[in-house]
Amino acid sequence: ARRVRCFYVGRAFAFPRLTERPRPPRASRRSRARQDKARADASSYVFRENNGNRGCAMTCLAPHATSLVAPRVAQPRGVRARAVVSRASSRTVTRAMASTGASLSLGAGRVGAPPRHAAVVAPLRGRRVVPRAASRRAAQPQVRSAGAAKPDPSASAGSKEPGSRSSDGRWSSVVTALADVMAPAVVESLLDEELPAHADIHRGRLSNGLRYVVLPNKVPGDRFEAHLEMHVGSVDEREDEQGLAHLVEHVTFLGSKKRDAWLGSGTRGNAYTDFHHTVFHVHSPTHNKDSTYMIPNVLDILYDVAFNPQLLDTRVAKEKKAVLAEAQMMNTIEYRVDCQLLQHLHWDNNLGCRFPIGKLDQVVTWDAAKVRQFHERWYFPANATLYVVGDFHADVPGVVEMIENAFGAASAATHPEGFVNEVPRSPDSVKAFEGVVGGAGAPSLPNNTPDTPNELRDRHAVRPPVKHAFGCPPSAASAIRENAERASLAHLVDPFQPMVATESGVQLFQHEHLSHVSFNIFSKLPVLPLRHMGDLHRTVNQRIALLVLQSRIQSRYAELDHEHYKRCELDHSDSAREGCTVSTVTVTCEPLHWKYALQVAVEEARRLKQHGLTLGELTRFKSAMMRDSEQLAQQAGFVPSLENLDFVMEHDALGHVVMDQVQGHEALLRLDDVICLEGVNEVARELLGFFAEYGKDATERDPVGGLTTAIVACVPSTTTDNDGVEVPFSIFEQDVIAVLSADYGEIDPIEDVFVPDELLSETDLDELVKARTPTIVSSTVDEKTGVHQRVLSNGIRVNYRVTNNEPGSAFLRLVVPGGRTAESTTAGPGGIGAAAVGFRTLQEVGAVGPWSRKQVELITMQNLVMFEVEPEAEYLFLDAAFAVKGGLRTTLEIIHLLTSQPVWDANALERVKDIYRMFELNTQRNLELLTHDAVNHAVFGDRRLMDPNRSELSALTIDGVKDAVTHQLRAGPLEVNIAGDVDPTELDLLIVRYLGTATPGGATHPENDTNPLELLPLTLRNVDPGDAATRQQRVYLRDSDERACAVLAGPGPKMWAPMFNPTLPEISSVKPEDVDGNGTVAQTMAEQLGYHPLDQVNQQAHVAGNPFAAQSARRANPLATFVAGMLLTEVIGGRLFTTVRDALGLTYDCNFQLAFGLQNADSTTYRLVVTSTPAKIDDALNAALRVLRGFKQQRVTQREVERARMTLLTRHETELKTNAYWVDLMQYTALGDTLAPAKEVSCISDLPAMYEASTVEDLYEVYQALGLGDGEVFTCVTVAGKEDPALAKPVVAAALPAESDAGMRAAAAAAASLGMAMTGGMAIAEALKKMGGGGPAAAAADSGIDVK
């Protein structure tokens, strides 16, 4: 399911959200992408703890305002390829903040990374529409096609075409509002002005029709992105081809030998299929480790994938099984909700039924001939666009020449003789909206006009090729009807002529796996391209209106004396995937109180529509928008290539002008004087009419408002009452309609809120400084890393590093030692869950010191600050992302007040409890969560490693949780980590004034010596090796669809565990024959090599001058176990993929993780997760365990280590460009006496060298610490379906004798005889086939899947 949302990438306001806005289920050839994402997360755990015990994150400290400043996310592609956001999970529900989905485009992308544990939603990405090129007027210089004789029409992509002008009356409300202060002609001239286009984007077209876009970009340095977009997706499939676009993507990408040859050594590739396109993408260093210039090779890969694939029968058979397994993996309740939303939102076209994953009953019937036919029909150069963005080490003409050399050989596709254009358009069409992309007003051709024989085939004129029913205001609806009437009179049929929708009723989706209610109210509209200053003005007004309404609704929810969870999300976004704009209101709430939650949203929408904004609201939100735009302009030149590429691709598809960050900021500044209260209120009337006036008669409606085109209520079958008893639950359509259309009487205007300029006045601070005389008592700087370390007189420890990764931005993390290890092990007022629930209660309260939640929200919004809190096993932490200008001070003020003057509220505590209860209920209804939960209960002997249950939550009191958190604050010492664009001198002054005067928990100094926390170590459960009931669980989950998931876990090494390091004898006692037998003197060797003559030395690392080349030095480093564990995780992931997924076809998703992170506990585990069908899940689990155990016989190869090393180093280098990662690196380095004794600042500089120096033998030291024996592993297999299956299969341990030594030796011997030992796990599968035995996995290997 795809929920990546887009309005204008580049984000002025990017809100974390949980919304039921449907995202098309986009299939992707993720292969190892999910593992890559997990490993990317895990790579930071060397400095960060994660034990799979996240619990549910609360509403952020300043829910609305904080989300304004989420730094631009530079996600790994694996994240984007998956992008599943769970609505049913309260982990996600509660992590999300009140938010609008509207986002403002002010430049080509944004730099930065989100708080690692914050629900920062990336700037919205949408579905791409290919505007009708003939309707455009090129605003940029025309680009001549390489090898072509005429200018490329696509050179105008994303450039301006005449949209609505002042003569159309579109700016009349603004002109009227400003008539007293500005001449109408001046206003009209400004709004009519065309937006400037990005000067560095180069577009062209080859003679065979292939389009290309080239953009030089220096971040990250020495790397580039190459994405080949094929303009074919699931909506292009015929009735008997549903899912074929996705299968073709699999077969072409994985069937390329050139891809296999080059992907590695820092080069990554993947692909995904969506409604409207298929994209193959490669991320590569400009030069690889062998100094090979990679751009020509990467372009050759993409050419081979798209235009020269093998499409072998064996590959088709293999990928059909992969697709079936992928469908099983994707078929979560969240995916099914998305499908329901899309089905009802797009009832009028194939977007509601042509999901990329397709129909599985069709997939199983297709052969290679079917794949070839589809490929031939759609994979031709003119139906492709190539995007190349990055640090090329070449000029643009040079890159264009490389494109010509790589793709020029692709044969152009031509129309056969007699071909008739299938998309006729009327020359007399009247535009429903001036400048609408893909709307009724595109240029047209006479009906049934044949193309010239042998003329080049081109892509569809309309992307996606669908017809929409729009909920337009009356004037636009009249234009659409007029257009249809003209076409009818001319006997023209345009399959994409839009329709006018009627107001929708309510569609219900009820399922037993849902835990909360969500109402999704949609209005579908045409896309209005962003091309003129007036278009930008309209967009800014929309943003402000939605931000204000969002803030009002969520504040009202929080201020009410009610303990139940509820949230309202707003979204107004262009969707290029769907070819439309969608306005969305989503209300999510606890089932028993849905009417009130929905009523509040309706009342606030009506209030804003009737009375408008206050002057204070306009001033604050406009100021925040300008400040954010300024910060974005500061980041020009620092935006990652991937973000720029996505931005350009999105804007081109939507017909928006592509501006750089500076151009966008300058344009916004020029609009400052014409953004007025009347203009924003006018836009609010337009935006909110569909929701605020639902059910009204047409004669009573505001003429500028639109209609609701779809309402979908997602409802659980059961819920729990106030006593915790599960009871049936239902909602009826007429009840929802009644709440939406009810008359709630006279609605008064809102009163403005006083917002302070500061939370701690200078006067108050001066008094605190005078009373407490704060100072820096210790100050150091690490020269290798640039990390500054300070200790303040009140015991607070500060680490910071100055970076220029994200100009104008910074990231902060507050660490409070203790966490859940300081909780009691029994239930009670301050028992299990007290610290976790208590810390989140502080966030849910949102108030600090004398300031209310609303005031805190607004001041953080004004100063671009976002907060997130999270309790971990061994500490509590608070993350803050902020703009340095204004935001740094506000962040330090809040930390001072939150630790010194926290505000506690019993109702907030009950809301937090309610969220935990919702998550507990959701866990029991979610296949993956239920399986993990069963394993957690079996593995861990400590309830504190899991979320508190209902009885434990009920026992907690406000005084108990307050005492638990206060004790940790008082005990300390607290650590504050900051990374960003800060001035060291200024920062030192600020931390002394704001942090040095703080009294955490009321203590002027840490009390860890006088009143220490009672830290009870977290433990693993002591389970008898023969206890099969605990070690080998099987669970049934009732579900309408069949699915299965298995989890295997066991004990693993501690993150900081010392690695075995043999003691070396004195050099004087070493005999010559002990060294090499040729008489070399030991002392001479030691002098020449710099190592002990008996030490094991990584020669490659030694030649490179690596200080850890010698085994003794490497294993003495505290990072030894972590580094080897991360490398081993990569290698295991590769073998699992090649064996269980690719060779045996038993699953689409199998991944392995070491749960590194705990600093002082012995409860570290590994975990392997595999999803499959109920029929294959046991075979898949058996095969995965065979792979794990097979490392004893089939040793890790040097090639596997090199690939893993390059992957991790590349990831590390990329992450170093983000402030959040630097905070991860610094975390704990000042807490060696309380939390992480082994972690020092030197670990940061040692990490890359340790990766470079690690050897196969190091990996096996970690491997030997994995508990893989029958008496050590824990498994749980959960099968979901309509009926409980007969659990007749033998359990895993019984199927695999103790170590299966004989079988594995035979498998290894067979693999060696095949000459495949270097390929890792693939050799095991091949060996099993040769053996003709070996249990279920071997049977699967004999089922016809070719692994050659």
Side-chain angles (χ1 to χ4, degrees):
R2 298 299 155 201
R3 305 194 66 254
V4 186
R5 80 185 44 247
C6 185
F7 187 72
Y8 303 124
V9 180
R11 185 195 65 79
F13 295 99
F15 267 63
R17 77 206 67 190
L18 172 79
T19 168
E20 301 295 346
R21 168 80 172 91
R23 300 297 130 194
R26 182 180 71 193
S28 63
R29 196 217 63 77
R30 296 184 308 106
S31 61
R32 296 172 63 186
R34 187 177 183 186
Q35 297 175 44
D36 289 344
K37 161 64 168 62
R39 294 175 201 146
D41 291 343
S43 68
S44 68
Y45 294 165
V46 59
F47 314 103
R48 184 70 197 259
E49 194 237 333
N50 177 10
N51 221 40
N53 180 37
R54 311 290 323 169
C56 38
M58 298 298 103
T59 306
C60 285
L61 183 67
H64 321 299
T66 56
S67 56
L68 290 171
V69 295
R72 182 66 186 98
V73 178
Q75 294 273 19
R77 173 60 69 175
V79 180
R80 184 173 182 267
R82 188 159 182 258
V84 179
V85 176
S86 164
R87 283 167 304 277
S89 166
S90 62
R91 287 184 189 266
T92 304
V93 171
T94 56
R95 187 184 298 277
M97 298 188 299
S99 58
T100 67
S103 178
L104 175 64
S105 167
L106 293 177
R110 181 167 204 132
V111 303
R116 190 161 302 277
H117 298 279
V120 181
V121 173
L124 317 170
R125 298 187 183 95
R127 304 170 177 92
R128 299 166 180 82
V129 176
V130 176
R132 303 183 184 189
S135 68
R136 296 194 179 135
R137 176 171 59 83
Q140 300 169 331
Q142 289 189 324
V143 180
R144 291 214 170 249
S145 308
K150 58 183 180 180
D152 173 27
S154 70
S156 63
S159 56
K160 303 166 283 290
E161 69 170 330
S164 293
R165 312 292 291 185
S166 58
S167 58
D168 302 324
R170 285 191 53 200
W171 320 134
S172 58
S173 61
V174 183
V175 172
T176 302
L178 297 171
D180 294 337
V181 295
M182 192 176 295
V186 175
V187 177
E188 291 176 353
S189 176
L190 173 62
L191 299 183
D192 281 339
E193 187 176 324
E194 293 183 341
L195 294 170
H198 199 307
D200 295 332
I201 296 175
H202 301 264
R203 297 181 174 86
R205 192 171 187 183
L206 303 184
S207 58
N208 58 13
L210 183 134
R211 297 168 175 85
Y212 60 82
V213 178
V214 179
L215 175 61
N217 195 68
K218 294 294 185 181
V219 178
D222 303 318
R223 295 192 69 84
F224 69 95
E225 302 280 337
H227 296 208
L228 183 63
E229 179 186 27
M230 300 304 304
H231 300 287
V232 56
S234 59
V235 293
D236 299 295
E237 297 163 346
R238 295 168 179 167
E239 190 64 30
D240 63 342
E241 296 177 337
Q242 296 185 54
L244 192 52
H246 177 219
L247 178 61
V248 170
E249 170 231 305
H250 271 248
V251 175
T252 55
F253 191 76
L254 287 172
S256 168
K257 289 187 177 181
K258 290 184 178 179
R259 181 193 67 86
D260 290 337
W262 286 110
L263 293 187
S265 303
T267 302
R268 297 179 292 112
N270 213 323
Y272 60 89
T273 300
D274 210 331
F275 280 145
H276 67 306
H277 68 183
T278 300
V279 178
F280 304 96
H281 49 90
V282 178
H283 323 274
S284 174
T286 311
H287 291 86
N288 70 3
K289 63 176 183 177
D290 299 322
S291 300
T292 302
Y293 188 58
M294 288 299 296
I295 293 181
N297 297 316
V298 168
L299 296 177
D300 196 34
I301 290 172
L302 292 175
Y303 164 81
D304 192 60
V305 166
F307 303 122
N308 190 37
Q310 294 181 314
L311 305 181
L312 301 176
D313 293 359
T314 51
R315 176 53 66 181
V316 171
K318 191 177 296 185
E319 294 313 312
K320 282 166 59 176
K321 292 194 174 185
V323 168
L324 296 175
E326 183 181 4
Q328 291 285 334
M329 179 200 70
M330 289 176 61
N331 193 28
T332 63
I333 187 60
E334 294 81 23
Y335 173 85
R336 287 177 242 178
V337 168
D338 278 340
C339 291
Q340 288 291 320
L341 300 180
L342 287 163
Q343 175 185 337
H344 297 300
L345 174 61
H346 297 298
W347 56 268
D348 45 353
N349 57 55
N350 277 344
L351 292 170
C353 59
R354 286 284 200 278
F355 302 136
I357 199 65
K359 292 187 175 180
L360 303 188
D361 57 343
Q362 293 187 19
V363 174
V364 297
T365 66
W366 297 328
D367 56 14
K370 190 80 169 178
V371 170
R372 296 185 192 109
Q373 290 170 8
F374 189 89
H375 182 272
E376 183 179 359
R377 189 162 78 244
W378 292 106
Y379 279 66
F380 55 91
N383 200 38
T385 302
L386 174 70
Y387 295 84
V388 187
V389 179
D391 188 7
F392 304 138
H393 295 186
D395 57 15
V396 171
V399 175
V400 172
E401 183 178 355
M402 295 178 220
I403 294 172
E404 170 67 23
N405 292 338
F407 290 92
S411 299
T414 58
H415 290 300
E417 188 172 354
F419 171 82
V420 176
N421 182 9
E422 62 181 34
V423 189
R425 288 152 295 191
S426 166
D428 300 321
S429 294
V430 176
K431 295 186 178 183
F433 275 82
E434 185 72 27
V436 166
V437 173
S444 26
L445 298 173
N447 189 29
N448 295 334
T449 300
D451 281 2
T452 304
N454 299 321
E455 182 179 352
L456 285 182
R457 291 167 58 192
D458 207 340
R459 62 189 181 190
H460 257 303
V462 176
R463 300 295 305 162
V466 295
K467 180 176 183 176
H468 289 291
F470 293 130
C472 301
S475 59
S478 298
I480 290 176
R481 294 189 181 97
E482 181 183 351
N483 201 18
E485 183 177 349
R486 286 173 178 259
S488 176
L489 292 174
H491 304 291
L492 300 175
V493 178
D494 184 349
F496 309 124
Q497 171 67 37
M499 305 175 289
V500 177
T502 58
E503 190 159 67
S504 172
V506 177
Q507 304 294 327
L508 297 174
F509 172 62
Q510 190 164 30
H511 200 281
E512 57 191 331
H513 287 183
L514 293 175
S515 58
H516 60 272
V517 174
S518 64
F519 300 96
N520 310 275
I521 300 100
F522 303 112
S523 180
K524 187 158 58 169
L525 301 165
V527 175
L528 297 175
L530 185 71
R531 298 173 185 167
H532 295 89
M533 293 289 285
D535 301 321
L536 180 61
H537 180 266
R538 177 194 67 237
T539 303
V540 171
N541 288 342
Q542 290 171 338
R543 303 294 78 75
I544 294 173
L546 290 179
L547 287 166
V548 169
L549 180 58
Q550 179 71 64
S551 176
R552 288 186 182 185
I553 294 174
Q554 205 61 39
S555 293
R556 188 171 169 195
Y557 282 158
E559 292 165 1
L560 296 171
D561 187 18
H562 203 280
E563 69 275 15
H564 295 288
Y565 170 81
K566 57 186 72 68
R567 184 172 303 285
C568 180
E569 318 291 342
L570 305 176
D571 183 32
H572 178 80
S573 56
D574 295 17
S575 174
R577 288 178 186 152
E578 295 158 287
C580 61
T581 296
V582 181
S583 294
T584 311
V585 176
T586 300
V587 174
T588 306
C589 60
E590 191 273 334
L592 296 180
H593 301 87
W594 69 267
K595 290 185 178 180
Y596 184 69
L598 194 56
Q599 176 183 333
V600 168
V602 173
E603 288 179 346
E604 291 307 317
R606 292 178 183 176
R607 190 190 316 276
L608 183 58
K609 187 175 183 301
Q610 292 177 22
H611 300 292
L613 287 71
T614 67
L615 184 58
E617 287 174 325
L618 174 63
T619 302
R620 285 189 295 271
F621 282 94
K622 185 171 73 167
S623 173
M625 186 174 294
M626 293 297 177
R627 188 172 294 183
D628 186 69
S629 173
E630 178 185 6
Q631 183 188 13
L632 182 60
Q634 291 176 334
Q635 297 176 352
F638 291 85
V639 181
S641 296
L642 177 59
E643 298 302 321
N644 273 325
L645 189 151
D646 285 339
F647 182 84
V648 175
M649 185 185 291
E650 184 68 27
H651 273 54
D652 281 3
L654 289 165
H656 298 330
V657 172
V658 180
M659 297 184 288
D660 64 34
Q661 295 89 343
V662 175
Q663 289 172 323
H665 180 55
E666 291 173 348
L668 191 58
L669 287 177
R670 294 185 60 207
L671 290 173
D672 190 17
D673 291 338
V674 296
I675 299 173
C676 61
L677 202 58
E678 292 81 358
V680 177
N681 290 339
E682 178 76 10
V683 167
R685 290 171 54 207
E686 297 173 359
L687 279 177
L688 303 178
F690 79 99
F691 179 57
E693 296 189 320
Y694 180 80
K696 274 191 176 183
D697 186 85
T699 59
E700 300 175 356
R701 285 180 176 271
D702 190 328
V704 302
L707 292 176
T708 296
T709 56
I711 302 175
V712 185
C714 300
V715 182
S717 301
T718 61
T719 189
T720 54
D721 61 18
N722 294 329
D723 297 323
V725 178
E726 189 167 2
V727 295
F729 181 77
S730 60
I731 289 177
F732 299 100
E733 178 183 1
Q734 58 270 27
D735 296 334
V736 178
I737 293 175
V739 175
L740 290 173
S741 58
D743 182 359
Y744 296 112
E746 185 67 25
I747 297 178
D748 296 327
I750 196 170
E751 292 186 5
D752 216 339
V753 177
F754 166 71
V755 181
D757 294 327
E758 52 198 18
L759 299 176
L760 281 171
S761 69
E762 289 297 327
T763 300
D764 291 340
L765 272 174
D766 289 340
E767 292 178 358
L768 289 174
V769 168
K770 182 178 180 180
R772 297 169 185 171
T773 60
T775 59
I776 295 175
V777 297
S778 174
S779 175
T780 61
V781 181
D782 182 74
E783 297 297 333
K784 289 185 178 180
T785 61
V787 172
H788 299 247
Q789 294 193 294
R790 307 286 188 261
V791 178
L792 304 180
S793 52
N794 61 353
I796 292 180
R797 303 167 187 189
V798 181
N799 308 315
Y800 68 85
R801 188 181 190 278
V802 179
T803 73
N804 63 352
N805 298 325
E806 305 163 37
S809 299
F811 190 90
L812 176 148
R813 177 172 299 142
L814 167 69
V815 179
V816 183
R820 302 206 61 190
T821 56
E823 294 177 353
S824 169
T825 57
T826 60
I832 292 177
V837 174
F839 202 47
R840 286 178 170 139
T841 298
L842 283 179
Q843 187 181 25
E844 181 63 22
V845 171
V848 292
W851 308 108
S852 70
R853 171 180 174 138
K854 183 68 174 180
Q855 290 171 314
V856 174
E857 290 172 2
L858 293 176
I859 194 172
T860 51
M861 179 272 296
Q862 286 183 176
N863 291 297
L864 307 182
V865 182
M866 186 182 107
F867 284 96
E868 171 81 3
V869 306
E870 191 80 64
E872 292 286 1
E874 296 175 310
Y875 62 94
L876 310 173
F877 77 85
L878 176 149
D879 277 353
F882 52 90
V884 174
K885 183 180 178 181
L888 174 58
R889 171 176 174 148
T890 299
T891 301
L892 296 177
E893 287 175 333
I894 289 178
I895 291 177
H896 175 109
L897 293 172
L898 184 69
T899 57
S900 304
Q901 302 178 48
V903 177
W904 296 92
D905 178 71
N907 285 322
L909 171 62
E910 292 306 314
R911 289 196 296 272
V912 172
K913 289 183 180 181
D914 197 42
I915 295 168
Y916 271 103
R917 294 186 191 104
M918 289 174 63
F919 177 68
E920 182 184 20
L921 180 63
N922 185 64
T923 298
Q924 301 306 311
R925 299 175 177 185
N926 182 288
L927 179 72
E928 292 80 7
L929 293 178
L930 180 61
T931 311
H932 280 289
D933 191 59
V935 171
N936 286 343
H937 282 81
V939 171
F940 298 125
D942 199 320
R943 284 284 307 146
R944 296 171 301 162
L945 279 164
M946 292 167 273
D947 290 324
N949 58 32
R950 285 180 174 271
S951 60
E952 292 160 350
L953 289 169
S954 297
L956 295 174
T957 65
I958 189 66
D959 289 334
V961 301
K962 175 183 177 181
D963 291 343
V965 174
T966 301
H967 193 186
Q968 295 194 28
L969 290 172
R970 293 180 67 89
L974 307 188
E975 181 190 66
V976 175
N977 301 279
I978 304 171
D981 187 11
V982 296
D983 176 75
T985 302
E986 179 188 10
L987 185 57
D988 282 342
L989 293 174
L990 290 174
I991 61 175
V992 168
R993 283 179 65 80
Y994 290 94
L995 301 183
T997 55
T999 54
T1004 56
H1005 293 85
E1007 297 180 350
N1008 54 321
D1009 293 328
T1010 59
N1011 184 23
L1013 295 169
E1014 184 180 358
L1015 300 177
L1016 303 175
L1018 301 166
T1019 61
L1020 297 179
R1021 187 176 174 187
N1022 186 15
V1023 179
D1024 187 275
D1027 185 356
T1030 302
R1031 290 190 175 274
Q1032 299 141 19
Q1033 301 181 71
R1034 299 189 73 90
V1035 178
Y1036 165 67
L1037 177 66
R1038 189 174 67 249
D1039 194 355
S1040 56
D1041 296 353
E1042 287 191 351
R1043 298 178 66 224
C1045 176
V1047 172
L1048 181 147
K1054 290 180 61 176
M1055 176 176 174
W1056 301 105
M1059 185 174 285
F1060 173 67
N1061 199 358
T1063 302
L1064 297 172
E1066 292 290 335
I1067 294 179
S1068 59
S1069 66
V1070 177
K1071 300 177 181 179
E1073 57 267 24
D1074 294 335
V1075 182
D1076 57 12
N1078 62 6
T1080 303
V1081 180
Q1083 287 87 345
T1084 302
M1085 284 199 63
E1087 293 174 0
Q1088 290 176 345
L1089 299 179
Y1091 305 114
H1092 193 287
L1094 297 183
D1095 210 346
Q1096 300 296 314
V1097 178
N1098 181 332
Q1099 290 298 329
Q1100 183 177 352
H1102 168 65
V1103 171
N1106 192 306
F1108 305 112
Q1111 176 178 281
S1112 59
R1114 187 170 60 255
R1115 294 190 176 182
N1117 190 289
L1119 288 172
T1121 297
F1122 170 81
V1123 166
M1126 294 302 298
L1127 290 166
L1128 180 63
T1129 298
E1130 286 289 325
V1131 174
I1132 290 175
R1135 289 195 181 184
L1136 288 171
F1137 172 76
T1138 55
T1139 303
V1140 187
R1141 188 273 192 199
D1142 203 42
L1144 302 179
L1146 296 173
T1147 181
Y1148 186 78
D1149 187 56
C1150 184
N1151 64 80
F1152 174 87
Q1153 281 291 299
L1154 273 171
F1156 280 139
L1158 292 172
Q1159 308 301 307
N1160 298 307
D1162 295 323
S1163 52
T1164 305
T1165 64
Y1166 68 85
R1167 191 160 297 206
L1168 183 148
V1169 184
V1170 58
T1171 58
S1172 188
T1173 64
K1176 292 183 178 181
I1177 190 63
D1178 289 287
D1179 294 345
L1181 183 58
N1182 280 330
L1185 186 53
R1186 285 180 183 275
V1187 170
L1188 290 180
R1189 291 176 173 174
F1191 277 76
K1192 292 185 177 180
Q1193 286 74 30
Q1194 189 181 7
R1195 286 183 62 82
V1196 174
T1197 67
Q1198 189 61 33
R1199 181 186 178 191
E1200 289 176 308
V1201 175
E1202 289 299 329
R1203 285 202 170 198
R1205 192 190 335 268
M1206 183 58 67
T1207 297
L1208 292 171
L1209 285 171
T1210 300
R1211 186 176 302 140
H1212 175 69
E1213 289 298 321
T1214 301
E1215 291 282 345
L1216 283 175
K1217 302 298 182 182
T1218 66
N1219 291 331
Y1221 186 60
W1222 270 105
V1223 166
D1224 285 338
L1225 296 174
M1226 292 186 293
Q1227 182 174 314
Y1228 312 148
T1229 55
L1231 296 176
D1233 55 338
T1234 59
L1235 186 58
K1239 185 174 180 186
E1240 300 175 350
V1241 175
S1242 60
C1243 291
I1244 302 174
S1245 54
D1246 289 348
L1247 183 61
M1250 286 291 292
Y1251 276 133
E1252 291 280 10
S1254 291
T1255 64
V1256 170
E1257 288 72 22
D1258 295 338
L1259 270 63
Y1260 272 94
E1261 289 297 323
V1262 174
Y1263 177 79
Q1264 291 169 8
L1266 302 179
L1268 295 171
D1270 291 336
E1272 297 175 290
V1273 299
F1274 294 82
T1275 64
C1276 180
V1277 176
T1278 303
V1279 175
K1282 294 180 180 178
E1283 297 180 356
D1284 191 350
L1287 304 180
K1289 281 185 176 285
V1291 294
V1292 172
L1296 293 171
E1299 292 295 335
S1300 302
D1301 285 337
M1304 293 310 301
R1305 282 196 298 272
S1313 68
L1314 291 168
M1316 297 181 63
M1318 293 295 290
T1319 62
M1322 186 75 81
I1324 298 175
E1326 185 67 23
L1328 291 172
K1329 292 176 63 177
K1330 282 285 185 181
M1331 291 166 55
D1342 283 330
S1343 63
I1345 299 181
D1346 188 358
V1347 297
K1348 294 183 180 179

